[in-house]
Amino acid sequence: MTINCDVAVVGGGALALAIARELRDADATITLIRPARSSRSATLAAGAMQGAFGEVTADNASSPVTDFCIATQTGFENWVGLVAQEAGAPVHITKGTFIVSSAGSAEDNANLKAIEAKLSEKKEPYQRVSPGDVPGYSPHSSVAPGPALFIEREGTVEPRQLITALTAVLMASGNVSILDDTAEQVQETADGKYRVITSHSSDVIAEKLIVAAGVHTMSLVAHLLPSDYSALRTFAGQGSALEMDNVTGAVHTVRTPNRGTACGLHVVPLSGGRVYVGATNRARHVLATGTGAPAEDVHQLLEGLIHEIGTYYSKAPLREVHFGLRPVTADNQPIIGETGREGLLLATGTHRTGILMSPRIAELVAADALGKTPAAHPFRITSQRLRNIRERDNTDLVRTAIPSALDEYLKPDGHLPYDRREGLIHLFTTMYDLAVGKNKAESERILNTIQHYPAFAALSLYNSSEKADRPTHP
Ligand SMILES: Cc1cc2nc3c(=O)[nH]c(=O)nc-3n(C[C@H](O)[C@H](O)[C@H](O)COP(=O)(O)OP(=O)(O)OC[C@H]3O[C@@H](n4cnc5c(N)ncnc54)[C@H](O)[C@@H]3O)c2cc1C
């Protein structure tokens, strides 16, 4: 079967559906290609917090993603309301988020401070509250929580309802057709159009092609893009989450600040008497990811929930487990809009906040596709951006990532005795410096030591933060 259309959109998550909805009023025929039963979709696994402020950390407070999220959050609830109204289907929204520095750790406290600073800077209403006043917050007695905040306008949406409603809106649009299929291959035709070959042997021929297929986006189009686009490769932030009974009748979200690369521990009230408990985030090569939540993720979430949020959850039934892959880019910023190939547009790389950003991303991509005046935004794929990714010095990033990665390994509830955490961080950092040869003199010194002492002893020397301990072989 061959389908001809003006615009083909590949993908079935929040981004692709929001983009197709944005295009439906244009004088154009649109074909959306996506499997009706999606596995590993980030959207379907998400807690879908509108976490513009809750996601702020000491490291990302001044990033363009943070500003973009804050700007989008203002109109998000209205947008969801419109989608629900058009679909005639409910899309449940909760309002109000408590953020507790639950572990009272240095990382939690620093990130909570960064959140409060951003709230003040943007004049967003919030209150400081005592952890004891957070409804449903009842951790184990060994937990010594730090301060807590309540952000009344920061809420959540139910992503599975949002996808159902967006799909209903598209089905009712005269110029949108939905193909229940998977794009296997994308080609350029002799007359400069795009051909999408699907797994059920359909050919979709389109003037313009928008690919918003989550973690699979770049692999579908890489062969069509200029060679310097290889800098845009994506990997997966593998995430798991749970659904439990809402045993306290919670009406607000309770979360910790972000931890490491994950969006903290969060408990989000859902309709139907349940809560969503999220979420893990483990960096994976897309091809190395499985299809279901690993036991270690479920273990980590349950341990965190019962120990840090409410011991009473130990008796609550576990109803469902979610699993999805967040699309992550090399510069941790989304990839939005036109590419170096005319008529080929992309929307991906949204990592932890793609549902929140989807209405604004949809506007930007639709404007590009329809040739409207290009809107300014920080995530255009420019040659400067590609160069920045290729040429950046990752040393500082790696140095901040090593402690986060180590803390991730130590979950759930793990700790090392004495100053071993610092020692391990030091060892990893030393190994990194050695691998990249950043500091030539230091690299030679380390190599010299390792070559002249038994390897085990030599490595142990670097498992220490005390420089003076480290001998140099003459
Ligand atoms: C556990 C977890 C928690 C999260 N929490 C939040 C949160 O609180 N707030 C927030 O804003 N964001 C959150 N996110 C991030 C957010 O979910 C993502 O950034 C966003 O959903 C990405 O949307 P997407 O449409 O790009 O990708 P996806 O939702 O992954 O959708 C990709 C779609 O493309 C389809 N597809 C793939 N390959 C093909 C192909 N070859 N042909 C056709 N279709 C294809 C898939 O079937 C799928 O439907 C979370 C993510 C996870 C995993």
Side-chain angles (χ1 to χ4, degrees), residues 10-16 33-35 38-49 181-183 212-214 216 220 237 239-241 263 276 279-280 324-327 347-348 350-356:
V10 177
L15 261 58
I33 307 161
R34 59 93 179 99
S38 170
S39 74
R40 312 195 300 176
S41 154
T43 308
L44 296 179
M49 293 180 287
D181 212 337
T182 301
H216 303 286
L220 272 174
S240 307
C263 31
Y276 168 100
T280 56
L325 305 181
R326 304 169 180 88
T348 189
T350 51
H351 200 177
R352 291 186 308 240
T353 48
I355 296 174
L356 170 62

Side-chain angles (χ1 to χ4, degrees), residues 183-252:
E184 288 286 329
Q185 220 187 319
V186 176
Q187 299 172 345
E188 195 169 20
T189 63
D191 55 352
K193 294 183 179 175
Y194 291 93
R195 168 185 288 121
V196 181
I197 303 167
T198 71
S199 50
H200 295 152
S201 308
S202 286
D203 265 10
V204 179
I205 314 276
E207 302 265 350
K208 303 231 163 159
L209 173 64
I210 302 172
V211 185
V215 291
H216 303 286
T217 303
M218 298 312 292
S219 59
L220 272 174
V221 296
H223 60 289
L224 294 172
L225 293 167
S227 59
D228 56 345
Y229 274 59
S230 58
L232 284 185
R233 69 175 74 84
T234 47
F235 65 92
Q238 175 186 289
S240 307
L242 314 173
E243 276 188 36
M244 317 271 299
D245 281 3
N246 185 347
V247 283
T248 60
V251 293
H252 300 300

Side-chain angles (χ1 to χ4, degrees), residues 305-320:
L305 175 72
I306 295 166
H307 186 74
E308 269 191 58
I309 303 289
T311 48
Y312 52 83
Y313 276 112
S314 60
K315 305 281 187 297
L318 170 58
R319 300 290 183 189
E320 220 170 312

Side-chain angles (χ1 to χ4, degrees), residues 126-452:
Y126 75 96
Q127 295 157 40
R128 278 189 196 184
V129 290
S130 148
D133 292 337
V134 176
Y137 182 66
S138 176
H140 185 261
S141 54
S142 63
V143 172
L149 304 174
F150 180 63
I151 313 175
E152 61 197 55
R153 297 200 302 203
E154 192 147 288
T156 60
V157 64
E158 274 192 40
R160 292 155 287 279
Q161 291 182 346
L162 181 63
I163 291 295
T164 304
L166 280 166
T167 307
V169 171
L170 296 177
M171 285 171 118
S173 305
N175 57 339
V176 181
S177 49
I178 302 183
L179 200 59
D180 176 6
D181 212 337
T182 301
E184 288 286 329
Q185 220 187 319
V186 176
Q187 299 172 345
E188 195 169 20
T189 63
D191 55 352
K193 294 183 179 175
Y194 291 93
R195 168 185 288 121
V196 181
I197 303 167
T198 71
S199 50
H200 295 152
S201 308
S202 286
D203 265 10
V204 179
I205 314 276
E207 302 265 350
K208 303 231 163 159
L209 173 64
I210 302 172
V211 185
V215 291
H216 303 286
T217 303
M218 298 312 292
S219 59
L220 272 174
V221 296
H223 60 289
L224 294 172
L225 293 167
S227 59
D228 56 345
Y229 274 59
S230 58
L232 284 185
R233 69 175 74 84
T234 47
F235 65 92
Q238 175 186 289
S240 307
L242 314 173
E243 276 188 36
M244 317 271 299
D245 281 3
N246 185 347
V247 283
T248 60
V251 293
H252 300 300
T253 294
V254 177
R255 67 169 292 177
T256 69
N258 280 7
R259 289 170 177 176
T261 59
C263 31
L265 186 61
H266 47 276
V267 181
V268 174
L270 301 173
S271 55
R274 292 188 184 178
V275 288
Y276 168 100
V277 182
T280 56
N281 190 8
R282 299 182 200 277
R284 293 281 185 271
H285 293 292
V286 175
L287 295 177
T289 52
T291 50
E296 63 176 348
D297 281 20
V298 177
H299 181 195
Q300 177 181 322
L301 289 166
L302 285 175
E303 169 75 25
L305 175 72
I306 295 166
H307 186 74
E308 269 191 58
I309 303 289
T311 48
Y312 52 83
Y313 276 112
S314 60
K315 305 281 187 297
L318 170 58
R319 300 290 183 189
E320 220 170 312
V321 179
H322 298 289
F323 178 74
L325 305 181
R326 304 169 180 88
V328 186
T329 54
D331 60 1
N332 210 12
Q333 296 185 12
I335 299 169
I336 300 176
E338 281 166 342
T339 62
R341 193 90 183 204
E342 209 186 323
L344 176 60
L345 297 94
L346 304 176
T348 189
T350 51
H351 200 177
R352 291 186 308 240
T353 48
I355 296 174
L356 170 62
M357 293 193 284
S358 57
R360 182 71 186 128
I361 290 179
E363 280 173 16
L364 296 170
V365 174
D368 272 5
L370 300 173
K372 293 196 179 150
T373 322
H377 70 81
F379 310 121
R380 282 211 173 278
I381 315 161
T382 60
S383 44
Q384 183 61 49
R385 178 173 173 192
L386 298 173
R387 201 171 319 123
N388 288 346
I389 296 174
R390 274 198 318 274
E391 292 174 2
R392 76 184 165 176
D393 179 352
N394 277 326
T395 307
D396 287 346
L397 279 177
V398 171
R399 284 181 191 283
T400 48
I402 286 172
S404 298
L406 181 59
D407 287 336
E408 196 58 39
Y409 279 121
L410 289 173
K411 281 179 190 162
D413 202 27
H415 62 274
L416 292 163
Y418 319 118
D419 60 352
R420 298 270 171 79
R421 180 177 176 278
E422 282 60 44
L424 265 185
I425 289 170
H426 195 80
L427 177 66
F428 291 154
T429 311
T430 305
M431 292 294 113
Y432 173 74
D433 287 346
L434 187 59
V436 298
K438 263 266 146 298
N439 178 341
K440 266 212 162 319
E442 177 73 352
S443 291
E444 272 170 27
R445 206 173 71 82
I446 297 169
L447 275 175
N448 212 8
T449 313
I450 291 174
Q451 274 161 7
H452 290 91

